[in-house]
Amino acid sequence: MTLFTLKPAVAAALIGLTFTGLSSNAWAAVQDYEFQLVKNEIKPGSEAEIAVRLVDKRSGKLVPDAVIFAQRVDMAPDGMEMMAAPIEALPSVEPGIYRFKAQISMAGGWRLSLGAKVQGETDALENKLEFKAIP
């Protein structure tokens, strides 16, 4: 090989290594994460607990340390979106599991809406999760 044929080969190898290194978490997007309900059914009451896990869909691993900046629970699945219930975040006991206490006043279909900031992502994550309150 001459010096002139070696340069393009080295340049191609460096470009390949660069793109291989960038294909890991650097290409992650907020769409790669989702909240999932731990249980799809809960008992109604003034101290009802709702737990969700934040999952990296690419690896299936739980994602800790997200900042939840918005939460709402309402009866939208039963056509009563205006019937919202008070909700508050509870301390987490497991990394990647986020818990909330809500005043679920009646049985029926409920929706939990969450807004969160995932560490390392520029966009906000928003999910709407439906569950049933059954006596």
Side-chain angles (χ1 to χ4, degrees):
M1 268 188 166
T2 66
L3 183 59
F4 292 110
T5 58
L6 187 59
K7 282 183 180 179
V10 170
L14 287 174
I15 290 170
L17 287 173
T18 301
F19 284 115
T20 302
L22 291 176
S23 67
S24 61
N25 289 341
W27 293 103
V30 76
Q31 295 84 3
D32 293 326
Y33 303 94
E34 73 177 356
F35 283 104
Q36 300 172 347
L37 289 164
V38 172
K39 293 181 182 178
N40 291 328
E41 296 177 343
I42 65 165
K43 291 197 177 282
S46 61
E47 298 285 322
E49 187 175 303
I50 307 165
V52 296
R53 62 179 73 87
L54 179 55
V55 177
D56 183 333
K57 294 189 286 188
R58 298 164 299 158
S59 66
K61 293 183 179 180
L62 296 180
V63 180
D65 304 323
V67 177
I68 309 286
F69 61 82
Q71 68 250 355
R72 175 183 163 91
V73 66
D74 59 47
M75 290 195 78
D78 282 354
M80 296 183 280
E81 187 172 355
M82 296 307 294
M83 187 165 173
I87 184 170
E88 68 179 78
L90 296 172
S92 180
V93 293
E94 295 178 65
I97 304 291
Y98 302 85
R99 302 175 326 130
F100 304 90
K101 180 175 70 172
Q103 294 182 13
I104 305 298
S105 58
M106 62 190 296
W110 289 81
R111 177 179 66 186
L112 173 64
S113 302
L114 295 171
K117 179 75 172 99
V118 178
Q119 301 297 322
E121 296 297 332
T122 55
D123 293 329
L125 172 65
E126 295 181 24
N127 280 153
K128 295 180 187 296
L129 308 168
E130 293 184 7
F131 63 92
K132 290 272 186 200
I134 50 175

